Every structure is written in structure tokens, then in C-alpha cells.
Amino acid sequence: MLALAFVAAGVAKLAGAPPMVAIFDQIGIGQWFRLLTGMLEIAGGLLVLVPRSSAWGALLLLCVMAAAVFTHLVVIGGNPVPALVLLVLSAAVLWLRRRQPLAAIGR
């Protein structure tokens, strides 16, 4: 479900859905940031689906959602709860797969 949520959100961003364009206009960095965010969400969602890379995908998505929560709280306002929920779910996947990154660094 987590992967589906992120892939769908990423596709909406890459497709230029009007609400996504409006949100990223409000952020004020430029539409390139919408495209980057969409690509990161799709990549993270797909990585979560592959057992060997699920921790890395969850870590990527956790970072994206931490930035989304910050953006809601500091830059654009609005309700940060959806981003917080996705952040917590990403953290849960990372926690459940925590041995993958540790094995990669030799621990």
C-alpha cells in the first residue's frame, strides 16, 4: 500500500496534475522541484516493493516526507497530517528492514 501511494503521488506530479502544479507554485522553488519530487517518490515506491532494496526505498521516502512535513509547517501551511502518516509508515518499513542498511555497512 505504501508503494502504491507513493507511485500514484509521483505519477500525479510528473503528469502535471493541476493541484500538484499549484502546490509547487506555492512552494516557490520552481516546477523542476515537482518533477524531482515525483521521480523520487516513484523510485522510492518501486524500491520498497523489492525485498532486497525495501529499506533503501523506505529511507528515501522518509527523507522526502520529512521535507514535505517541513514544507507544510514552514512554507505553504496546510494540513501536514497526510505527509506525517506517510513519514511514519516509511519509518515503520525502514525499522522492519533495518538489517539491510546495517549489512551494507558491515554491521
Side-chain angles (χ1 to χ4, degrees):
M1 292 302 284
L2 183 67
L4 179 62
F6 277 105
V7 170
V11 167
K13 287 176 180 72
L14 293 181
M20 295 298 157
V21 172
I23 288 170
F24 282 85
D25 273 343
Q26 197 175 3
I27 293 170
I29 297 175
Q31 292 300 311
W32 68 269
F33 190 58
R34 171 180 54 84
L35 298 173
L36 175 64
T37 303
M39 288 186 284
L40 292 174
E41 288 176 345
I42 291 170
L46 294 175
L47 287 169
V48 164
L49 290 174
V50 179
R52 293 184 64 157
S53 66
S54 59
W56 299 108
L59 179 61
L60 173 60
L61 296 173
L62 188 140
C63 293
V64 170
M65 287 299 97
V69 169
F70 175 82
T71 301
H72 277 286
L73 293 174
V74 177
V75 180
I76 63 173
N79 185 2
V81 171
L84 276 169
V85 169
L86 291 171
L87 185 145
V88 169
L89 292 173
S90 297
V93 170
L94 181 58
W95 176 257
L96 293 170
R97 297 292 189 157
R98 66 189 175 275
R99 287 188 176 87
Q100 288 175 346
L102 294 176
I105 59 172
R107 291 187 170 212

